[in-house]
Amino acid sequence: MRVATTRRSALVFGVGAMLVGSMLTGCGSSSDRPADSNGPVTLTVNLFGNFGYKDLYAEYKKSHPNITIKENITDFNGHHKNLQAHLLAGAGTADIEAIEVNQVVGFRPQAAKFVDFLSYGVNRDQWVEATWRRATGQDGTGLFGLGTDIGGLALCYRADVFKAAGLPAERDAVSKLFTDWNSYIEVGKQFQAKTPDKNVNWFDAGSNVFNAIVNQSQKNAYDESGKVIVEANPVVKQAWDTTVAGIQAGESAGLAAFSPQWNTGFQKGQFATVTCPSWMMAYIKDNAPETAGKWDIAKIPGTGGGNWGGSYLTVPKASRHQQEAVELAKWLTAPQQEKWLFTNKGNFPSDQALWSEPEVAGFTDPFFSSAPAGKIFSESVKSLKPQITGPHQGEIGNAIGNALQSVEQGKATPDDAWKRALADVKNLAG
Amino acid sequence: MAVLTKPRVRATHVAPRARHGLRYRLDVKGAPYLYIAPFFLVFGVFGLFPLVYTGYVSLTGWRADTPGSEDTFVGWRNYADLVHDPFFWNAVKNTIGIGLISTVPQLLMALGIAHLLNYKLRGRTFFRMGVLLPNVTSVAAVTIIFVQLFGRDYGMINWFLGLFGIGHTDWQAGTLSSWIAISVIVTWRWTGYNALIYLAGMQAIPFELYESAALDGASRWKQFWMITVPMLRPTILFTVIVSTIGSLQLFGEPLLFNTSQTPTTGGSQHQFQTLALYTYDQFWQKFKYGYGAAISWAMFLLIALFVVVNLVAARRMRGADAS
């Protein structure tokens, strides 16, 4: 789940946070006075997008009448920034805070400021190693985040647009079109030549193609020792070159991911394919409901798997109602609720036991031409190997995404853009 | 201020002091300080302390990704790094560039509008209030609307330019195009404010000057240049200094103008990343607290430098005038 909305709140908050951060450091209050277990308790939940929890809160209230839940949604950037600032200040965190998968490693140095779920009877084998490993302390012990969803990779495409360009539109045939990423770019060239509507491009943004490619690799921006290896890792440069080849062939719509223009692109059908983590299904449905039935889902090029996105729920120790918050977080990430979230909201469960359950594996959605989404995403994550990540994983991806964007904008040569990306990476990690 | 008022208080109360007791003397001597105390107290807590504390942080190697780095004293290293940081100098360049494009036309326009508003117009109050309206709207709201107007594919400005055969501009993409777009937003918000200040200044100019100039046969245009502008000089100086400080602190507009996932980078190549944005980026996005604090202080010094240059230039001008 990764939803960027307006940045107004980020600004307003950020300025406030700057004050709080510089003023209150060191005088944080930690009043973890135990509350009466039956007295009325208000739990605050801070999220960075719509997790689809609204109906579940009402359900929870039925069995826990004394609990009132207040949800607060901030945009992606603002949310993680606020959390970091509030941890620093030692005050202001909610009872439950969500953290995205690429951000979670950046919070490992602060693992001690979160509740360790292992001491609350959570079994981490509920998730694959790739998932729980990221939410442990820096020494690999403890568990400060409960996996909610996971972003298994597939390729979402507009079947109608494919047909118009004379490409096979049926999903198995489409999956066979791309054996690897180079053939994906090659088919893109055919598409650009044949599509009758010249306002449609092959893909939405170079950054999304690049992300999908590197997310299939075990080693991306970091090596085992925690060193940044963007420059040294051939996988990254290859992914860059492949993406640039597509951009130079005019295949990119050049719509910065998660920008309002990108949202409009879904509605106006400005691109034929989009690399599609499972949470993207919900994003497309929310954003472009009028395109229902025109979409379909095929296997992702390359390894046919990979992971992009997903989230964790954490309980900061500053919470005054740790016990209640932990209970709610555990309940929200329990199999029953995760299953409901997938079939109703499209967030694929990170709980691995669910992947083979008929309700999940057999899930189809008419919005996506009844493609066997459950089967596709289950297969995509089953082969998942733990990816080596580091604290700046997300920001490194963003820096390279920006560099790709400057190539799309025609404002930089690929060589200059690559150099700038490396300079950006050096600036944030060094 | 305190230094200035003290002697006066003492002077006027010399006589009573001899006749009254300690409490009266305390009241007379102490009360003024007490009255101004709230300002200095609030300033101390919300102004001075953060300033000093930021100065302290800027001398540490504190960053979120390194546990235990809070109190690692690194001396001037952050400042030394700053001198060799291409992103910092890029931000300085962007700040000054956007500052010039947004301030110069803005003040000239404000002067023109003030001049027009100074005429006897029907519904004068309405127009005078009208020009202030953009200023009371929030930066966020204005910028979000302008971002829509400056949209690449479906924006109104590109549509309008298209009527004249000008191809679509990706306003965020280019250096100059993004600077212009941001300057338009700033100009929209602040022109009216400056116009009203000029108007107030104009109304303080004695009417007789215009009358005698008119008798001497000076045209309206000549009156404007020979009377209005010279008489407005202190007002103009004030607006120049305030706008300079404002443009050096430019933050909200470039932040919100960027619609990508990384609002603090100022575009795909940092082409509109201002100093304030870079500080924020390093401090609250990359969580390099020590380095971010150092940029913050460098920015403070830069602003102080600009203000001093402004004042010296103004004094020179006045000196040249007097001789």
Side-chain angles (χ1 to χ4, degrees):
Chain A
M1 169 129 7
R2 189 165 203 198
V3 182
T5 49
T6 76
R7 236 158 264 100
R8 186 184 341 189
S9 46
L11 166 70
V12 172
F13 197 88
V15 173
M18 206 179 244
L19 268 175
V20 173
S22 50
M23 297 294 302
L24 297 183
T25 348
C27 51
S29 62
S30 56
S31 49
D32 42 359
R33 137 186 76 85
D36 175 16
S37 59
N38 290 316
V41 170
T42 302
L43 293 178
T44 48
V45 181
N46 278 5
L47 307 175
F48 53 85
N50 184 6
F51 278 46
Y53 284 166
K54 279 269 152 62
D55 297 333
L56 291 178
Y57 296 149
E59 188 71 28
Y60 192 73
K61 182 102 183 148
K62 279 182 203 159
S63 51
H64 299 76
N66 61 323
I67 307 268
T68 308
I69 301 168
K70 267 166 90 178
E71 186 184 80
N72 178 23
I73 297 179
T74 316
D75 68 283
F76 183 83
N77 268 303
H79 170 82
H80 291 99
K81 202 161 49 196
N82 294 349
L83 179 55
Q84 191 73 261
H86 288 154
L87 287 176
L88 185 70
T93 45
D95 296 303
I96 294 181
E97 293 268 4
I99 304 180
E100 198 253 358
V101 67
N102 272 337
Q103 303 285 325
V104 77
V105 181
F107 286 94
R108 286 177 79 178
Q110 271 102 293
K113 293 180 178 169
F114 293 99
V115 166
D116 177 8
F117 288 108
L118 296 184
S119 56
Y120 284 90
V122 171
N123 178 6
R124 60 191 186 187
D125 292 330
Q126 187 180 344
W127 302 277
V128 284
E129 196 190 345
T131 300
W132 62 255
R133 175 94 38 217
R134 293 186 191 209
T136 59
Q138 282 203 308
D139 52 358
T141 62
L143 184 75
F144 69 89
L146 301 176
T148 59
D149 64 321
I150 187 170
L153 275 171
L155 189 78
C156 292
Y157 67 97
R158 286 283 295 263
D160 56 330
V161 176
F162 266 53
K163 208 173 281 171
L167 289 174
E170 197 272 320
R171 66 186 75 95
D172 290 329
V174 171
S175 300
K176 283 199 190 91
L177 274 179
F178 332 112
T179 45
D180 55 13
W181 286 99
N182 286 333
S183 54
Y184 171 75
I185 300 297
E186 283 310 310
V187 176
K189 286 180 190 161
Q190 287 173 37
F191 173 86
Q192 293 297 147
K194 286 192 209 154
T195 174
D197 183 352
K198 293 297 170 201
N199 288 324
V200 187
N201 290 79
W202 181 235
F203 56 80
D204 53 336
S207 63
N208 281 350
V209 174
F210 175 84
N211 268 332
I213 302 177
V214 290
N215 277 324
Q216 291 184 335
S217 166
Q218 242 183 300
K219 245 188 239 174
N220 173 0
Y222 285 88
D223 71 2
E224 294 88 340
S225 69
K227 216 178 90 190
V228 176
I229 51 161
V230 173
E231 194 170 5
N233 187 358
V235 173
V236 178
K237 188 69 201 311
Q238 259 162 35
W240 168 274
D241 289 338
T242 309
T243 311
V244 164
I247 294 170
Q248 288 183 324
E251 295 176 20
S252 175
L255 302 163
F258 302 98
S259 67
Q261 294 92 313
W262 188 67
N263 295 346
T264 314
F266 279 107
Q267 292 151 16
K268 303 250 179 192
Q270 284 181 277
F271 40 85
T273 66
V274 54
T275 50
C276 208
S278 39
W279 46 262
M280 192 76 86
M281 290 199 298
Y283 194 94
I284 301 175
K285 274 166 83 169
D286 282 351
N287 196 28
E290 63 277 13
T291 58
K294 293 179 179 165
W295 290 91
D296 208 325
I297 306 172
K299 220 169 93 175
I300 189 94
T303 63
N307 176 49
W308 174 15
S311 309
Y312 297 81
L313 294 185
T314 65
V315 175
K317 279 194 183 149
S319 163
R320 284 192 201 166
H321 310 289
Q322 282 180 24
Q323 182 66 40
E324 289 85 352
V326 168
E327 257 172 58
L328 175 61
K330 275 167 75 175
W331 186 81
L332 286 170
T333 53
Q336 189 66 26
Q337 281 62 251
E338 290 218 331
K339 203 193 299 180
W340 183 89
L341 283 166
F342 177 59
T343 50
N344 290 282
K345 305 287 171 186
N347 297 327
F348 193 79
S350 59
D351 191 317
Q352 60 172 332
L354 287 173
W355 300 344
S356 43
E357 281 211 10
E359 271 174 82
V360 171
F363 176 77
T364 61
D365 190 337
F367 189 97
F368 294 91
S369 312
S370 299
K375 184 166 157 272
I376 293 171
F377 289 116
S378 305
E379 276 172 10
S380 156
V381 289
K382 258 177 201 157
S383 56
L384 203 61
K385 294 197 184 68
Q387 191 180 42
I388 298 156
T389 63
H392 301 293
Q393 186 81 25
E395 290 149 309
I396 290 173
N398 286 341
I400 299 177
N402 279 339
L404 284 167
Q405 201 199 349
S406 68
V407 178
E408 287 168 338
Q409 290 166 335
K411 297 292 176 190
T413 63
D415 280 348
D416 287 346
W418 175 248
K419 275 183 206 134
R420 185 173 287 274
L422 292 180
D424 269 322
V425 169
K426 209 175 141 209
N427 174 278
L428 64 90
Chain B
M1 285 289 269
V3 179
L4 280 177
T5 49
K6 219 169 80 183
R8 223 166 70 190
V9 169
R10 196 180 285 161
T12 47
H13 292 280
V14 163
R17 195 178 63 172
R19 270 184 279 133
H20 294 275
L22 180 70
R23 261 177 64 193
Y24 180 83
R25 283 214 314 269
L26 260 182
D27 182 29
V28 166
K29 286 184 84 178
Y33 294 104
L34 211 64
Y35 294 146
I36 56 168
F39 168 76
F40 285 98
L41 223 64
V42 171
F43 173 75
V45 173
F46 292 104
L48 194 64
F49 171 71
L51 207 68
V52 173
Y53 185 69
T54 308
Y56 162 72
V57 171
S58 76
L59 302 177
T60 69
W62 190 14
R63 45 188 300 160
D65 60 3
T66 320
S69 61
E70 280 96 323
D71 301 313
T72 50
F73 190 78
V74 296
W76 300 105
R77 205 188 70 201
N78 285 328
Y79 292 92
D81 288 348
L82 202 61
V83 177
H84 301 291
D85 181 356
F87 294 112
F88 172 73
W89 293 111
N90 172 60
V92 171
K93 184 189 84 185
N94 292 342
T95 308
I96 294 174
I98 297 174
L100 283 175
I101 300 181
S102 61
T103 310
V104 176
Q106 181 199 132
L107 293 182
L108 290 177
M109 264 159 62
L111 203 57
I113 291 173
H115 185 66
L116 293 177
L117 286 175
N118 205 13
Y119 283 115
K120 280 200 174 66
L121 294 170
R122 209 179 285 246
R124 208 159 48 169
T125 317
F126 171 77
F127 287 116
R128 286 178 186 176
M129 284 314 293
V131 293
L132 195 64
L133 218 51
N135 194 248
V136 297
T137 50
S138 93
V139 193
V142 170
T143 311
I144 286 166
I145 288 170
F146 269 97
V147 164
Q148 302 285 327
L149 295 178
F150 280 111
R152 184 190 72 177
D153 294 335
Y154 303 103
M156 225 168 88
I157 289 170
N158 274 344
W159 165 80
F160 181 74
L161 293 177
L163 296 180
F164 303 96
I166 300 169
H168 276 192
T169 310
D170 190 345
W171 291 93
Q172 272 95 350
T175 305
L176 192 63
S177 67
S178 60
W179 287 11
I180 290 174
I182 291 168
S183 299
V184 166
I185 305 172
V186 176
T187 306
W188 161 262
R189 282 195 71 227
W190 290 99
T191 306
Y193 168 83
N194 286 312
L196 277 202
I197 290 181
Y198 287 148
L199 180 62
M202 282 176 188
Q203 290 182 337
I205 301 172
F207 186 67
E208 291 77 24
L209 288 176
Y210 293 101
E211 226 171 23
S212 51
L215 281 177
D216 289 341
S219 67
R220 287 250 184 204
W221 183 241
K222 203 150 194 183
Q223 288 174 26
F224 178 71
W225 276 115
M226 306 304 282
I227 300 172
T228 312
V229 172
M231 292 296 281
L232 273 184
R233 189 172 290 151
T235 317
I236 293 175
L237 181 66
F238 169 77
T239 57
V240 167
I241 291 180
V242 169
S243 313
T244 308
I245 295 175
S247 64
L248 288 172
Q249 293 176 332
L250 195 65
F251 175 71
E253 287 88 350
L255 177 84
L256 294 159
F257 183 62
N258 190 341
T259 55
S260 80
Q261 266 194 299
T262 50
T264 55
T265 56
S268 57
Q269 299 189 88
H270 306 271
Q271 63 268 31
F272 54 91
Q273 185 174 47
T274 58
L275 265 176
L277 212 49
Y278 188 53
T279 310
Y280 192 73
D281 178 68
Q282 295 292 301
F283 202 99
W284 283 122
Q285 202 68 46
K286 313 289 191 278
F287 302 110
K288 292 155 76 174
Y289 304 122
Y291 195 56
I295 306 171
S296 191
W297 256 91
M299 198 172 127
F300 173 69
L301 295 177
L302 204 71
I303 292 176
L305 182 78
F306 264 85
V307 171
V308 167
V309 168
N310 258 333
L311 285 174
V312 168
R315 190 161 298 169
R316 278 271 166 76
M317 267 161 60
R318 204 175 301 156
D321 237 29
S323 60

